[in-house]
Amino acid sequence: MKILDRYLIKNFLITYVFVAFVIVLIICMIDYTEKVDDFLDKKAPLNEIIIDYYFNLIPYWINYISPLMVFIATVFFTSRIAARTEIIAMLSSGISFGRMLLPYMVGATVLGFLTFIQVGWILPKANKVRNSFEKTYVKQEFYFSGHNVHITIAPDVYAYLESYNTMTKTGNKFTMETIKGNVLLQKFYADKIVWQPKKGKWTLQNYQVRTLDSLGEKLRAGAEIDTTINLSPKDFESDYNLFETFTLPELNAYIDLLKSRGADGLEVYLIEKYIRFTQPFAILILTAIGVIVSARKSRRGVGWQIALGFMLAFIYILFFLLSKGVAEAGTINTLFAVWLPNIVFSCIGLILYKTLPR
C-alpha cells in the first residue's frame, strides 16, 4: 500500500501545483490589464511591479482561493484515474474506499498545515509590502479628512479632536473625558496635541485638567505636558486592508486593543482571525468531497465531473462570502458565521459518502 499511497499523494500535490499555477497566472494577467494605466501614470518602477507587487500578490491569491484550487485539483486528478478504471482496480483488490481516501487526506493535511503557517506568519509580511505598493502607485494618496472626530480610547474614556494633520502628526482642540455612567469624573483639554516619535508620547499644549469628585472640582493648567494616551498616529493613517498585514500574534494584540477601547469595527478583525483557522479545515473537507463526487467512472466523461467540481466549489465560495457578510453586519455570532460553511459542507460530505454508489 505504501507505493499506492505515494502515487496518490504525489499526483494529488502535483495536480494542485499545476491548477494553482494556471489559475494564479490568469488572475495576474487580468490584474495587470486593470492596473497597467495606474502603473504608467504614476511611473511605477518595473522591479517594484514585479518584486514588491506581483511576487507578493501570487501567494496572496494562492492562499485566498486555496480551498477552490484544492477541490478542483482533487476532482481533476481523481476523475482522470477513475476514467482509466484505476479506482475500480483498487477497490476490487480489497481496499476500502475510506482507505483509498487516506492518502488524499494526508496530502490535504500537508497543504492545510502550510496554509496555516502562511496565513499566520508569512503572508502578512508579504501583504505589508504589496499594500504599501498599492497605496503608492494604485490608490489615491491618503489624507485624514475627518473633522470633529470622536474616539473611544478605553472603557469610559472618550477622546475628541476637531481636526488632525497626518503630515505633522498634530491634532487641534483635543478633549479627553472620563465618564462613569452619566457622571463626568475628569475632563482633559488642550489646544494642540503633537506626537513625539522619539519619546513615544503626545505633547499637549495649553492644557487644562478638570477633576470632579465628592469634594468638589479641581482645576490644573499649564503650557505644555508630555503624556501617554491609548492613542497613536496609526489610528489616523490609512487602514486599507490593515487586517491582512497582521501576523496572528499581532492580530490578537490588535483585537485586544480594540476591545480595551470598546471601539467599533471589531468584527472585521475577528473574521480575519477565525478565517485563518477555518481554511485548513476547508481544505480537508473539500478534498474529501472532491474524491467522493469524482471517484466513479462517469458515462458523461471527465469533463462533466470537472464541471461538477467547479460548481460545488463556487457554491462553497458563495456560501462563505454570504456568511462573511452576515458576520460583518453583526447579525449573528461571528465565530459561528465563519465556521458555518465548513459545518454545512461537512454534513454534505457525510451524506454524499453514505449515499453515492461507488
Side-chain angles (χ1 to χ4, degrees), residues 221-320:
E224 191 171 282
I225 187 175
D226 291 341
T227 185
T228 301
I229 305 171
N230 192 18
L231 195 68
S232 75
K234 289 184 178 180
D235 294 313
F236 302 99
E237 295 175 359
S238 171
D239 60 354
Y240 171 70
N241 290 342
L242 181 63
F243 58 89
E244 294 179 349
T245 64
F246 291 132
T247 62
L248 199 53
E250 290 171 344
L251 185 60
N252 286 326
Y254 193 75
I255 289 171
D256 291 338
L257 174 63
L258 292 179
K259 286 180 178 179
S260 70
R261 292 180 174 179
D264 296 328
L266 182 63
E267 287 79 12
V268 173
Y269 299 95
L270 286 175
I271 290 169
E272 176 66 17
K273 175 184 175 179
Y274 298 146
I275 285 175
R276 295 185 186 188
F277 287 94
T278 60
Q279 275 191 317
F281 290 95
I283 289 172
L284 291 171
I285 294 165
L286 292 177
T287 297
I289 294 177
V291 175
I292 293 168
V293 300
S294 58
R296 291 185 303 132
K297 186 175 182 180
S298 175
R299 294 179 180 178
R300 300 180 181 181
V302 175
W304 162 253
Q305 290 173 305
I306 294 174
L308 177 62
F310 268 101
M311 184 179 68
L312 287 173
F314 280 113
I315 289 173
Y316 175 85
I317 291 176
L318 180 62
F319 195 10
F320 169 76

Side-chain angles (χ1 to χ4, degrees), residues 189-194 196 203-207 222-225:
Y189 172 82
D191 283 338
K192 282 191 175 182
I193 179 171
V194 183
Q196 304 294 339
T203 296
L204 277 65
Q205 300 175 355
N206 298 325
Y207 71 92
E224 191 171 282
I225 187 175

Side-chain angles (χ1 to χ4, degrees), residues 77-137:
F77 168 62
T78 307
S79 59
R80 280 195 305 149
I81 63 174
R84 298 197 297 261
T85 67
E86 292 181 31
I87 291 180
I88 294 175
M90 295 177 200
L91 298 177
S92 299
S93 66
I95 300 172
S96 66
F97 188 82
R99 180 62 183 84
M100 190 200 75
L101 188 61
L102 181 61
Y104 285 94
M105 303 311 293
V106 171
T109 301
V110 171
L111 293 176
F113 176 76
L114 293 176
T115 297
F116 182 70
I117 297 299
Q118 182 179 348
V119 298
W121 288 269
I122 299 173
L123 193 59
K125 296 177 182 179
N127 287 337
K128 285 181 182 178
V129 178
R130 178 177 58 84
N131 287 350
S132 177
F133 177 91
E134 288 187 343
K135 286 189 283 188
T136 304
Y137 297 110

Side-chain angles (χ1 to χ4, degrees), residues 28-82:
C28 287
M29 291 174 62
I30 295 172
D31 183 83
Y32 180 77
T33 58
E34 290 180 347
K35 293 186 172 69
V36 63
D37 290 337
D38 294 317
F39 295 157
L40 294 174
D41 291 342
K42 296 189 178 181
K43 299 179 181 178
L46 181 61
N47 65 313
E48 291 188 26
I49 294 174
I50 296 173
I51 297 173
D52 291 352
Y53 185 61
Y54 281 106
F55 275 18
N56 292 306
L57 183 68
I58 288 170
Y60 168 81
W61 275 109
I62 288 176
N63 164 72
Y64 189 78
I65 59 174
S66 58
L68 169 65
M69 291 189 295
V70 167
F71 190 78
I72 293 172
T74 304
V75 172
F76 183 73
F77 168 62
T78 307
S79 59
R80 280 195 305 149
I81 63 174

Side-chain angles (χ1 to χ4, degrees), residues 323-337:
S323 62
K324 183 181 177 182
V326 172
E328 289 174 349
T331 53
I332 63 174
N333 180 271
T334 306
L335 179 62
F336 175 72

